mmCIF file of all heavy atoms in Angstrom:
data_model
loop_
_atom_site.group_PDB
_atom_site.id
_atom_site.type_symbol
_atom_site.label_atom_id
_atom_site.label_comp_id
_atom_site.label_asym_id
_atom_site.label_seq_id
_atom_site.Cartn_x
_atom_site.Cartn_y
_atom_site.Cartn_z
ATOM 1 N N VAL A 16 0.410 -6.776 11.102
ATOM 2 C CA VAL A 16 -0.085 -8.100 10.922
ATOM 3 C C VAL A 16 0.472 -8.980 11.988
ATOM 4 O O VAL A 16 1.713 -9.087 12.318
ATOM 5 C CB VAL A 16 0.354 -8.696 9.558
ATOM 6 C CG1 VAL A 16 -0.118 -9.997 9.307
ATOM 7 C CG2 VAL A 16 -0.128 -7.754 8.373
ATOM 8 N N GLN A 17 -0.400 -9.702 12.703
ATOM 9 C CA GLN A 17 -0.081 -10.493 13.802
ATOM 10 C C GLN A 17 1.012 -11.471 13.382
ATOM 11 O O GLN A 17 0.916 -12.202 12.391
ATOM 12 C CB GLN A 17 -1.307 -11.229 14.411
ATOM 13 C CG GLN A 17 -0.881 -12.037 15.756
ATOM 14 C CD GLN A 17 -2.103 -12.755 16.193
ATOM 15 O OE1 GLN A 17 -3.123 -12.915 15.613
ATOM 16 N NE2 GLN A 17 -2.053 -13.389 17.403
ATOM 17 N N GLY A 18 1.971 -11.521 14.314
ATOM 18 C CA GLY A 18 3.099 -12.593 14.123
ATOM 19 C C GLY A 18 4.128 -12.189 13.084
ATOM 20 O O GLY A 18 5.113 -12.972 12.756
ATOM 21 N N HIS A 19 4.042 -10.886 12.571
ATOM 22 C CA HIS A 19 5.012 -10.488 11.486
ATOM 23 C C HIS A 19 5.702 -9.029 12.058
ATOM 24 O O HIS A 19 5.386 -8.064 11.452
ATOM 25 C CB HIS A 19 4.468 -10.326 10.259
ATOM 26 C CG HIS A 19 4.061 -11.498 9.586
ATOM 27 N ND1 HIS A 19 4.824 -12.534 9.051
ATOM 28 C CD2 HIS A 19 2.715 -12.226 9.709
ATOM 29 C CE1 HIS A 19 4.205 -13.706 8.555
ATOM 30 N NE2 HIS A 19 2.879 -13.441 9.103
ATOM 31 N N PRO A 20 6.308 -9.014 13.152
ATOM 32 C CA PRO A 20 6.839 -7.806 13.721
ATOM 33 C C PRO A 20 8.021 -7.372 12.740
ATOM 34 O O PRO A 20 8.780 -8.013 12.273
ATOM 35 C CB PRO A 20 7.346 -8.128 15.068
ATOM 36 C CG PRO A 20 7.735 -9.615 15.067
ATOM 37 C CD PRO A 20 6.692 -10.253 14.106
ATOM 38 N N ASN A 21 8.067 -6.026 12.538
ATOM 39 C CA ASN A 21 9.152 -5.478 11.842
ATOM 40 C C ASN A 21 9.528 -4.075 12.386
ATOM 41 O O ASN A 21 8.843 -3.207 12.262
ATOM 42 C CB ASN A 21 8.701 -5.238 10.336
ATOM 43 C CG ASN A 21 9.903 -4.852 9.377
ATOM 44 O OD1 ASN A 21 10.941 -4.428 9.777
ATOM 45 N ND2 ASN A 21 9.665 -5.163 8.205
ATOM 46 N N LEU A 22 10.814 -4.239 12.777
ATOM 47 C CA LEU A 22 11.308 -3.005 13.569
ATOM 48 C C LEU A 22 12.486 -2.401 12.752
ATOM 49 O O LEU A 22 13.184 -1.580 13.290
ATOM 50 C CB LEU A 22 11.808 -3.261 15.102
ATOM 51 C CG LEU A 22 10.709 -3.229 16.059
ATOM 52 C CD1 LEU A 22 9.925 -4.651 16.120
ATOM 53 C CD2 LEU A 22 11.229 -3.043 17.499
ATOM 54 N N ASP A 23 12.709 -2.849 11.594
ATOM 55 C CA ASP A 23 13.810 -2.480 10.754
ATOM 56 C C ASP A 23 13.861 -0.939 10.653
ATOM 57 O O ASP A 23 14.989 -0.222 10.842
ATOM 58 C CB ASP A 23 13.766 -3.045 9.466
ATOM 59 C CG ASP A 23 14.008 -4.641 9.416
ATOM 60 O OD1 ASP A 23 14.380 -5.006 10.495
ATOM 61 O OD2 ASP A 23 13.813 -5.323 8.518
ATOM 62 N N ASN A 24 12.815 -0.209 10.207
ATOM 63 C CA ASN A 24 12.937 1.241 9.986
ATOM 64 C C ASN A 24 13.178 1.918 11.249
ATOM 65 O O ASN A 24 13.891 2.898 11.359
ATOM 66 C CB ASN A 24 11.597 1.688 9.321
ATOM 67 C CG ASN A 24 11.399 1.252 7.995
ATOM 68 O OD1 ASN A 24 12.378 0.850 7.253
ATOM 69 N ND2 ASN A 24 10.164 1.117 7.492
ATOM 70 N N ALA A 25 12.558 1.472 12.347
ATOM 71 C CA ALA A 25 12.736 2.092 13.659
ATOM 72 C C ALA A 25 14.202 1.947 14.081
ATOM 73 O O ALA A 25 14.872 2.991 14.446
ATOM 74 C CB ALA A 25 11.850 1.558 14.714
ATOM 75 N N MET A 26 14.812 0.733 13.986
ATOM 76 C CA MET A 26 16.095 0.505 14.414
ATOM 77 C C MET A 26 17.163 1.288 13.518
ATOM 78 O O MET A 26 18.220 1.656 14.047
ATOM 79 C CB MET A 26 16.410 -0.899 14.591
ATOM 80 C CG MET A 26 15.614 -1.638 15.667
ATOM 81 S SD MET A 26 15.522 -0.737 17.201
ATOM 82 C CE MET A 26 17.337 -0.623 17.665
ATOM 83 N N ILE A 27 16.858 1.256 12.217
ATOM 84 C CA ILE A 27 17.826 2.240 11.441
ATOM 85 C C ILE A 27 17.899 3.566 11.903
ATOM 86 O O ILE A 27 18.903 4.239 12.062
ATOM 87 C CB ILE A 27 17.344 2.121 9.909
ATOM 88 C CG1 ILE A 27 17.542 0.760 9.222
ATOM 89 C CG2 ILE A 27 18.060 3.168 9.121
ATOM 90 C CD1 ILE A 27 16.856 0.609 7.976
ATOM 91 N N ALA A 28 16.864 4.169 12.291
ATOM 92 C CA ALA A 28 16.788 5.506 12.888
ATOM 93 C C ALA A 28 17.488 5.571 14.150
ATOM 94 O O ALA A 28 18.327 6.474 14.453
ATOM 95 C CB ALA A 28 15.313 6.100 12.912
ATOM 96 N N VAL A 29 17.074 4.628 15.094
ATOM 97 C CA VAL A 29 17.657 4.596 16.392
ATOM 98 C C VAL A 29 19.236 4.595 16.348
ATOM 99 O O VAL A 29 19.965 5.272 16.966
ATOM 100 C CB VAL A 29 17.060 3.480 17.307
ATOM 101 C CG1 VAL A 29 17.883 3.258 18.547
ATOM 102 C CG2 VAL A 29 15.695 3.732 17.521
ATOM 103 N N ASN A 30 19.712 3.631 15.481
ATOM 104 C CA ASN A 30 21.136 3.407 15.296
ATOM 105 C C ASN A 30 21.874 4.715 14.747
ATOM 106 O O ASN A 30 23.029 4.955 15.117
ATOM 107 C CB ASN A 30 21.480 2.182 14.669
ATOM 108 C CG ASN A 30 20.989 0.887 15.447
ATOM 109 O OD1 ASN A 30 21.106 0.934 16.624
ATOM 110 N ND2 ASN A 30 20.676 -0.168 14.733
ATOM 111 N N ALA A 31 21.157 5.292 13.753
ATOM 112 C CA ALA A 31 21.697 6.439 13.191
ATOM 113 C C ALA A 31 21.930 7.654 14.243
ATOM 114 O O ALA A 31 23.030 8.273 14.212
ATOM 115 C CB ALA A 31 20.975 7.001 12.042
ATOM 116 N N LEU A 32 20.868 7.769 15.020
ATOM 117 C CA LEU A 32 20.830 8.777 16.064
ATOM 118 C C LEU A 32 21.934 8.436 17.108
ATOM 119 O O LEU A 32 22.601 9.417 17.556
ATOM 120 C CB LEU A 32 19.497 8.953 16.736
ATOM 121 C CG LEU A 32 18.350 9.654 15.728
ATOM 122 C CD1 LEU A 32 17.117 9.250 16.095
ATOM 123 C CD2 LEU A 32 18.614 11.107 15.641
ATOM 124 N N ARG A 33 22.008 7.278 17.505
ATOM 125 C CA ARG A 33 23.074 6.844 18.627
ATOM 126 C C ARG A 33 24.470 6.970 18.037
ATOM 127 O O ARG A 33 25.307 7.320 18.746
ATOM 128 C CB ARG A 33 22.763 5.494 19.098
ATOM 129 C CG ARG A 33 21.433 5.314 19.829
ATOM 130 C CD ARG A 33 21.285 4.013 20.423
ATOM 131 N NE ARG A 33 22.164 3.678 21.525
ATOM 132 C CZ ARG A 33 23.182 2.824 21.498
ATOM 133 N NH1 ARG A 33 23.411 2.152 20.438
ATOM 134 N NH2 ARG A 33 23.914 2.690 22.584
ATOM 135 N N ALA A 34 24.513 6.756 16.755
ATOM 136 C CA ALA A 34 25.875 6.973 16.067
ATOM 137 C C ALA A 34 26.396 8.434 16.201
ATOM 138 O O ALA A 34 27.583 8.649 16.172
ATOM 139 C CB ALA A 34 25.846 6.327 14.674
ATOM 140 N N LYS A 35 25.392 9.380 16.257
ATOM 141 C CA LYS A 35 25.716 10.732 16.371
ATOM 142 C C LYS A 35 25.827 11.190 17.857
ATOM 143 O O LYS A 35 25.933 12.383 18.047
ATOM 144 C CB LYS A 35 24.676 11.558 15.690
ATOM 145 C CG LYS A 35 24.623 11.378 14.102
ATOM 146 C CD LYS A 35 25.692 12.180 13.426
ATOM 147 C CE LYS A 35 25.543 12.214 12.029
ATOM 148 N NZ LYS A 35 26.584 13.110 11.314
ATOM 149 N N GLY A 36 25.799 10.243 18.685
ATOM 150 C CA GLY A 36 25.944 10.474 20.115
ATOM 151 C C GLY A 36 24.648 10.957 20.813
ATOM 152 O O GLY A 36 24.660 11.418 21.953
ATOM 153 N N LYS A 37 23.504 10.801 20.238
ATOM 154 C CA LYS A 37 22.205 11.123 20.868
ATOM 155 C C LYS A 37 21.712 9.987 21.662
ATOM 156 O O LYS A 37 21.669 8.758 21.284
ATOM 157 C CB LYS A 37 21.164 11.541 19.712
ATOM 158 C CG LYS A 37 21.693 12.579 18.734
ATOM 159 C CD LYS A 37 22.251 13.828 19.415
ATOM 160 C CE LYS A 37 22.715 14.893 18.522
ATOM 161 N NZ LYS A 37 23.333 16.111 19.215
ATOM 162 N N LYS A 38 20.973 10.274 22.720
ATOM 163 C CA LYS A 38 20.378 9.497 23.554
ATOM 164 C C LYS A 38 18.842 9.323 23.239
ATOM 165 O O LYS A 38 18.222 10.360 22.737
ATOM 166 C CB LYS A 38 20.431 9.842 25.075
ATOM 167 C CG LYS A 38 21.858 9.758 25.629
ATOM 168 C CD LYS A 38 21.837 10.222 27.087
ATOM 169 C CE LYS A 38 23.277 10.204 27.560
ATOM 170 N NZ LYS A 38 23.416 10.505 29.061
ATOM 171 N N MET A 39 18.384 8.099 23.371
ATOM 172 C CA MET A 39 16.913 7.873 22.860
ATOM 173 C C MET A 39 15.989 7.471 23.855
ATOM 174 O O MET A 39 16.269 6.584 24.717
ATOM 175 C CB MET A 39 17.023 6.712 21.749
ATOM 176 C CG MET A 39 17.969 7.223 20.641
ATOM 177 S SD MET A 39 17.222 8.570 19.579
ATOM 178 C CE MET A 39 15.657 7.983 19.018
ATOM 179 N N ARG A 40 14.650 8.006 23.624
ATOM 180 C CA ARG A 40 13.561 7.505 24.479
ATOM 181 C C ARG A 40 12.779 6.516 23.612
ATOM 182 O O ARG A 40 12.637 6.571 22.476
ATOM 183 C CB ARG A 40 12.700 8.533 24.952
ATOM 184 C CG ARG A 40 13.238 9.727 25.872
ATOM 185 C CD ARG A 40 12.198 10.557 26.450
ATOM 186 N NE ARG A 40 11.679 9.919 27.577
ATOM 187 C CZ ARG A 40 10.361 9.547 27.592
ATOM 188 N NH1 ARG A 40 9.639 9.739 26.548
ATOM 189 N NH2 ARG A 40 9.858 8.880 28.665
ATOM 190 N N GLY A 41 12.212 5.526 24.301
ATOM 191 C CA GLY A 41 11.280 4.586 23.592
ATOM 192 C C GLY A 41 9.707 5.082 23.835
ATOM 193 O O GLY A 41 9.463 5.102 24.957
ATOM 194 N N HIS A 42 9.142 5.238 22.748
ATOM 195 C CA HIS A 42 7.758 5.514 22.757
ATOM 196 C C HIS A 42 6.875 4.893 21.777
ATOM 197 O O HIS A 42 7.154 5.082 20.503
ATOM 198 C CB HIS A 42 7.620 7.283 22.444
ATOM 199 C CG HIS A 42 6.293 7.877 22.483
ATOM 200 N ND1 HIS A 42 5.529 8.085 23.589
ATOM 201 C CD2 HIS A 42 5.464 8.163 21.367
ATOM 202 C CE1 HIS A 42 4.381 8.616 23.177
ATOM 203 N NE2 HIS A 42 4.205 8.610 21.840
ATOM 204 N N ASN A 43 6.004 4.104 22.087
ATOM 205 C CA ASN A 43 5.654 3.737 23.349
ATOM 206 C C ASN A 43 5.522 2.157 23.306
ATOM 207 O O ASN A 43 5.167 1.623 22.259
ATOM 208 C CB ASN A 43 4.360 4.313 23.941
ATOM 209 C CG ASN A 43 3.282 4.280 22.951
ATOM 210 O OD1 ASN A 43 2.707 3.310 22.622
ATOM 211 N ND2 ASN A 43 2.784 5.491 22.514
ATOM 212 N N MET A 44 5.447 1.436 24.573
ATOM 213 C CA MET A 44 5.274 -0.102 24.367
ATOM 214 C C MET A 44 3.823 -0.416 24.322
ATOM 215 O O MET A 44 3.431 -1.239 23.496
ATOM 216 C CB MET A 44 5.827 -0.620 25.663
ATOM 217 C CG MET A 44 5.856 -2.030 25.643
ATOM 218 S SD MET A 44 6.942 -2.800 24.394
ATOM 219 C CE MET A 44 8.582 -2.462 25.161
ATOM 220 N N PHE A 45 2.850 0.263 25.028
ATOM 221 C CA PHE A 45 1.494 0.055 24.960
ATOM 222 C C PHE A 45 0.714 1.411 25.017
ATOM 223 O O PHE A 45 1.219 2.394 25.450
ATOM 224 C CB PHE A 45 0.984 -0.872 26.046
ATOM 225 C CG PHE A 45 1.606 -2.184 26.086
ATOM 226 C CD1 PHE A 45 2.546 -2.517 26.983
ATOM 227 C CD2 PHE A 45 1.231 -3.023 25.222
ATOM 228 C CE1 PHE A 45 3.234 -3.770 27.087
ATOM 229 C CE2 PHE A 45 1.783 -4.474 25.245
ATOM 230 C CZ PHE A 45 2.814 -4.766 26.211
ATOM 231 N N TRP A 46 -0.468 1.276 24.358
ATOM 232 C CA TRP A 46 -1.324 2.564 24.178
ATOM 233 C C TRP A 46 -2.737 2.169 24.002
ATOM 234 O O TRP A 46 -3.080 1.483 23.043
ATOM 235 C CB TRP A 46 -0.826 3.410 23.062
ATOM 236 C CG TRP A 46 -1.385 4.776 22.986
ATOM 237 C CD1 TRP A 46 -2.127 5.425 23.852
ATOM 238 C CD2 TRP A 46 -1.283 5.706 21.867
ATOM 239 N NE1 TRP A 46 -2.493 6.716 23.469
ATOM 240 C CE2 TRP A 46 -1.874 6.870 22.331
ATOM 241 C CE3 TRP A 46 -0.524 5.618 20.704
ATOM 242 C CZ2 TRP A 46 -1.852 8.081 21.489
ATOM 243 C CZ3 TRP A 46 -0.574 6.782 19.911
ATOM 244 C CH2 TRP A 46 -1.207 7.920 20.268
ATOM 245 N N GLY A 47 -3.541 2.452 25.070
ATOM 246 C CA GLY A 47 -4.991 2.014 24.873
ATOM 247 C C GLY A 47 -5.893 3.100 24.943
ATOM 248 O O GLY A 47 -7.057 2.911 25.463
ATOM 249 N N ASN A 48 -5.605 4.215 24.432
ATOM 250 C CA ASN A 48 -6.493 5.406 24.520
ATOM 251 C C ASN A 48 -7.546 5.409 23.456
ATOM 252 O O ASN A 48 -8.664 6.053 23.773
ATOM 253 C CB ASN A 48 -5.632 6.749 24.435
ATOM 254 C CG ASN A 48 -6.469 7.978 24.568
ATOM 255 O OD1 ASN A 48 -7.609 8.010 25.141
ATOM 256 N ND2 ASN A 48 -5.904 9.055 24.181
ATOM 257 N N ALA A 49 -7.403 4.948 22.324
ATOM 258 C CA ALA A 49 -8.343 4.968 21.233
ATOM 259 C C ALA A 49 -8.235 3.749 20.512
ATOM 260 O O ALA A 49 -7.358 2.924 20.510
ATOM 261 C CB ALA A 49 -8.148 6.344 20.366
ATOM 262 N N LYS A 50 -9.114 3.519 19.491
ATOM 263 C CA LYS A 50 -9.211 2.322 18.864
ATOM 264 C C LYS A 50 -8.111 2.000 17.907
ATOM 265 O O LYS A 50 -7.781 0.844 17.397
ATOM 266 C CB LYS A 50 -10.515 2.191 18.016
ATOM 267 C CG LYS A 50 -10.775 3.272 16.952
ATOM 268 C CD LYS A 50 -12.157 3.030 16.320
ATOM 269 C CE LYS A 50 -12.413 4.125 15.275
ATOM 270 N NZ LYS A 50 -13.624 3.903 14.580
ATOM 271 N N TYR A 51 -7.331 3.056 17.454
ATOM 272 C CA TYR A 51 -6.210 2.929 16.645
ATOM 273 C C TYR A 51 -4.912 2.983 17.312
ATOM 274 O O TYR A 51 -3.834 2.884 16.708
ATOM 275 C CB TYR A 51 -6.241 4.004 15.625
ATOM 276 C CG TYR A 51 -7.418 4.069 14.653
ATOM 277 C CD1 TYR A 51 -8.317 5.085 14.568
ATOM 278 C CD2 TYR A 51 -7.883 2.902 13.871
ATOM 279 C CE1 TYR A 51 -9.478 5.095 13.881
ATOM 280 C CE2 TYR A 51 -8.960 2.788 13.117
ATOM 281 C CZ TYR A 51 -9.739 3.873 13.109
ATOM 282 O OH TYR A 51 -10.838 3.834 12.297
ATOM 283 N N THR A 52 -4.865 2.900 18.587
ATOM 284 C CA THR A 52 -3.601 2.984 19.305
ATOM 285 C C THR A 52 -3.042 1.531 19.743
ATOM 286 O O THR A 52 -2.047 1.431 20.376
ATOM 287 C CB THR A 52 -3.824 3.889 20.666
ATOM 288 O OG1 THR A 52 -4.772 3.246 21.436
ATOM 289 C CG2 THR A 52 -4.149 5.215 20.354
ATOM 290 N N HIS A 53 -3.848 0.575 19.425
ATOM 291 C CA HIS A 53 -3.359 -0.797 19.598
ATOM 292 C C HIS A 53 -3.648 -1.528 18.245
ATOM 293 O O HIS A 53 -4.512 -1.166 17.484
ATOM 294 C CB HIS A 53 -4.084 -1.585 20.786
ATOM 295 C CG HIS A 53 -5.605 -1.607 20.610
ATOM 296 N ND1 HIS A 53 -6.444 -0.510 20.961
ATOM 297 C CD2 HIS A 53 -6.347 -2.492 20.012
ATOM 298 C CE1 HIS A 53 -7.684 -0.845 20.704
ATOM 299 N NE2 HIS A 53 -7.678 -2.033 20.057
ATOM 300 N N PRO A 54 -3.061 -2.616 18.003
ATOM 301 C CA PRO A 54 -3.302 -3.406 16.678
ATOM 302 C C PRO A 54 -4.703 -3.788 16.580
ATOM 303 O O PRO A 54 -5.197 -4.402 17.563
ATOM 304 C CB PRO A 54 -2.311 -4.553 16.758
ATOM 305 C CG PRO A 54 -1.286 -4.087 17.755
ATOM 306 C CD PRO A 54 -1.830 -3.189 18.802
ATOM 307 N N ARG A 55 -5.329 -3.793 15.521
ATOM 308 C CA ARG A 55 -6.736 -4.131 15.287
ATOM 309 C C ARG A 55 -6.956 -5.564 15.545
ATOM 310 O O ARG A 55 -7.978 -5.986 15.927
ATOM 311 C CB ARG A 55 -7.218 -3.653 13.935
ATOM 312 C CG ARG A 55 -7.191 -2.102 13.743
ATOM 313 C CD ARG A 55 -7.796 -1.748 12.383
ATOM 314 N NE ARG A 55 -7.776 -0.430 12.042
ATOM 315 C CZ ARG A 55 -8.220 0.174 11.084
ATOM 316 N NH1 ARG A 55 -8.986 -0.512 10.135
ATOM 317 N NH2 ARG A 55 -8.096 1.554 10.869
#
């Protein structure tokens, strides 16, 4: 929903993995391959 970003679930996972010493890649910032790869 536009204007209501929520990264809580993503960051819980990222921080849990980093706490175990794992390095993380970000996937992905933008994606324009198909109609469902960007917000409608």
Side-chain angles (χ1 to χ4, degrees):
V16 178
Q17 184 182 8
H19 298 277
N21 187 339
L22 281 81
D23 291 350
N24 292 336
M26 293 313 301
I27 289 171
V29 168
N30 291 329
L32 288 157
R33 294 185 71 246
K35 293 282 191 177
K37 306 306 177 183
K38 295 182 179 180
M39 296 296 296
R40 300 192 77 248
H42 176 80
N43 50 63
M44 188 64 76
F45 299 108
W46 191 9
N48 183 20
K50 63 181 179 179
Y51 299 121
T52 60
H53 59 272
R55 295 185 187 184

